[in-house]
Amino acid sequence: MKWAAIRAHRGEIAGERPLPGILARLPDPTATRSSGQSAFPGSRPDVQYNVVPKYHGSNPVPHEIHFTAHGNKGFTFSYILENPAAYPRTGVWSACRNAEEPFMTRITPPRPIDIEALFPALAGFRRTATRLHPRPGEPSAQDSSVAGPMLWPADEPWPVCTAVHPKGKGYRMADVRRARLIDADSQGRAKTEEERQALARLERATHAPEIRDEDPVPMLAIAQLWARDIPDLRGPEGYDLLQVFWCPFETHGPDHSVEVVLKWRRGADTRGILSEQPEPVVVGRQECVPDRCVVHPEQVTEHEYIDLLPADLREAIDAWQEDLLDEDEDEDNENEDDDPFAIEYGSALSIAPGWKVGGFATWHATDPRPVDCRTCGTPMPPLLTVHHVEWDPASASWAPEEDRCPDLYRHVITPTKVYLGRGYMRIHTCPTNPWHPHQLSFQ
């Protein structure tokens, strides 16, 4: 089920009766403080309550319901209801999409420092990116998604991998999903003996000996992205839909990387949608398989990776960072509660973490290398970045406002479960002609 973006006050949802016992607990954002002064002087705050049920398998009853809220004047709230079926039902409640709003917004906080105010020359090295903010959900074939159903014509061949490599040895797709269900179900408690035994049986082996190395096998559906949702999606003129596939075996070519297929479409021309979409029986690594996610696109501003800036600008930023680090160390000695991570250009001020479209490439693990079109020689910026985390401690300032509840971290830090290369994989396309062959880069 998708996130529902619902505007409410004190438990009233879109004119329906309150959800018993839960939304009644929400603090009133317009309540007065003990002094008699309003907590939010001036106009009434605009508060958005967000509700997401969590399901196991095909069970129609959620095992948890997550409530978060935020307002435009600083109001925040979070609550996780476990085993909602145990609560009495005194009213009818449904999570409905407001046709004028996305299912859920994600708002990246402003950067801790306005880096262009300090270094105006950086304005010439600015670029937008659209953070996808994938979160577990049930998208439809009409939605932008990660690993969701594709808007794929029934009469069009599904992409297959024809490269010669082992295809019957690895992990069963069904086992990968079963293991993740067990892990999700046992969050916050010790696994049962039955669960441990089930996980022990989910091993890498030759599960499909009948599949030969040269046989074609279906590729995995990785992402479907609509230009209407993703402002930084740049494709061939007149094409508004990108579909991304890869082979879940990292054994392609001399560098043993991933084989990626891009399919551009005109969405309005697609008819007769394929309902049962193919999947490989076996995958090479569990980390090649993304969990199904809805996306919550948000456009942000990035700045070029520091080692690719002009020398004088790079040196000025380096000197400023050294001074800032010295100041932070002095403050840490006086206040042990300070954030242990210094504000750095690379982690907090230039390039956003997580899955995104557009923006800049980070080269934190290797020296920068050119990614130029092999057909025309044009430099190729990243089209899609696949990142194993949404943020980490060093880049925590990029965490959306809506996800800053510690109880939600386990659901949003690694929502897709994908880990390729050292954690980063980028798909680069030619800005001059998107039909030219794409390239990959890893960090």
Side-chain angles (χ1 to χ4, degrees):
M1 184 172 182
K2 300 179 178 69
W3 281 87
I6 305 167
R7 299 202 175 276
H9 291 290
R10 294 295 290 168
E12 295 179 357
I13 302 182
E16 305 241 4
R17 298 173 63 182
L19 187 64
I22 302 305
L23 291 183
R25 304 180 190 183
L26 290 173
D28 187 346
T30 62
T32 58
R33 300 185 190 274
S34 58
S35 66
Q37 297 298 318
S38 171
F40 301 99
S43 61
R44 185 180 180 92
D46 186 13
V47 178
Q48 178 171 302
Y49 293 134
N50 304 296
V51 183
V52 60
K54 296 287 186 177
Y55 296 90
H56 279 165
S58 59
N59 189 346
V61 179
H63 67 94
E64 286 181 348
I65 299 180
H66 293 213
F67 300 86
T68 59
H70 69 279
N72 62 342
K73 297 192 176 183
F75 169 78
T76 61
F77 173 82
S78 65
Y79 182 80
I80 297 179
L81 173 67
E82 298 182 350
N83 191 20
Y87 287 76
R89 298 181 62 186
T90 61
V92 177
W93 170 76
S94 62
C96 303
R97 179 179 180 177
N98 185 326
E100 297 179 357
E101 294 182 337
F103 291 113
M104 173 69 181
T105 58
R106 287 296 189 278
I107 301 173
T108 299
R111 296 302 78 220
I113 293 173
D114 184 351
I115 194 65
E116 283 191 19
L118 293 175
F119 303 98
L122 278 172
F125 301 91
R126 178 202 302 154
R127 185 183 293 168
T128 58
T130 301
R131 302 186 72 187
L132 297 181
H133 299 305
R135 301 293 184 266
E138 291 298 328
S140 75
Q142 301 293 332
D143 296 326
S144 293
S145 67
V146 170
M150 296 286 193
L151 192 72
W152 193 268
D155 60 354
E156 185 174 327
W158 188 265
V160 296
C161 177
T162 58
V164 178
H165 61 76
K167 296 171 182 171
K169 183 177 181 179
Y171 298 88
R172 292 189 188 94
M173 274 285 293
D175 288 351
V176 172
R177 292 195 170 117
R178 176 167 168 74
R180 291 178 181 176
L181 282 175
I182 291 173
D183 285 339
D185 191 49
S186 60
Q187 284 281 354
R189 64 168 175 82
K191 290 182 173 62
T192 65
E193 181 61 27
E194 181 182 4
E195 288 170 336
R196 287 195 295 270
Q197 291 179 3
L199 289 173
R201 292 193 293 270
L202 308 182
E203 297 180 346
R204 178 179 176 84
T206 304
H207 293 295
E210 71 280 5
I211 301 178
R212 300 172 301 173
D213 293 358
E214 63 271 21
D215 287 346
V217 295
M219 286 192 159
L220 275 178
I222 300 303
Q224 176 168 275
L225 305 173
W226 289 88
R228 68 182 184 228
D229 301 323
I230 318 293
D232 289 290
L233 186 64
R234 302 286 187 265
E237 186 175 355
Y239 289 76
D240 61 349
L241 178 60
L242 172 65
Q243 296 169 324
V244 182
F245 303 81
W246 67 47
C247 176
F249 291 86
E250 294 176 296
T251 54
H252 298 83
D255 56 354
H256 295 271
S257 65
V258 180
E259 179 69 17
V260 174
V261 169
L262 305 181
K263 176 66 178 180
W264 292 98
R265 290 192 182 283
R266 295 182 177 92
D269 296 341
T270 307
R271 299 286 187 273
I273 306 307
L274 182 66
S275 56
E276 294 295 326
Q277 303 193 347
E279 286 186 336
V281 176
V282 177
V283 300
R285 289 177 56 243
Q286 300 177 66
E287 294 82 3
C288 292
V289 181
D291 275 357
R292 182 168 290 186
C293 291
V294 295
V295 297
H296 311 287
E298 178 203 19
Q299 193 172 46
V300 298
T301 299
E302 296 188 342
H303 294 92
E304 178 64 277
Y305 183 68
I306 190 165
D307 287 351
L308 295 176
L309 294 173
D312 57 343
L313 182 55
R314 181 175 68 248
E315 291 167 3
I317 294 174
D318 284 339
W320 168 77
Q321 286 190 143
E322 290 179 7
D323 291 342
L324 192 65
L325 182 60
D326 291 341
E327 292 176 7
D328 288 342
E329 289 177 350
D330 292 340
E331 291 177 3
D332 288 343
N333 292 333
E334 298 175 2
N335 188 350
E336 294 181 356
D337 294 331
D338 281 353
D339 187 341
F341 295 97
I343 296 173
E344 295 183 348
Y345 177 82
S347 59
L349 305 175
S350 59
I351 298 176
W355 286 57
K356 64 181 182 180
V357 172
F360 288 103
T362 174
W363 298 96
H364 59 277
T366 67
D367 291 332
R369 70 170 182 85
V371 183
D372 297 334
C373 179
R374 296 193 176 107
T375 302
C376 66
T378 303
M380 302 170 73
L383 171 71
L384 175 65
T385 296
V386 173
H387 193 187
H388 77 287
V389 294
E390 285 293 274
W391 66 86
D392 58 21
S395 59
S397 70
W398 292 95
E401 300 283 0
E402 297 83 356
D403 294 327
R404 291 187 169 223
C405 169
D407 290 338
L408 293 178
Y409 273 17
R410 68 180 186 268
H411 300 290
V412 300
I413 292 292
T414 57
T416 67
K417 305 296 190 298
V418 168
Y419 195 109
L420 300 175
R422 299 180 180 91
Y424 267 99
M425 185 189 81
R426 296 179 294 256
I427 303 171
H428 300 254
T429 53
C430 179
T432 301
N433 187 338
W435 298 115
H436 289 171
H438 62 268
Q439 294 189 53
L440 306 181
S441 66
F442 295 86
Q443 287 290 286

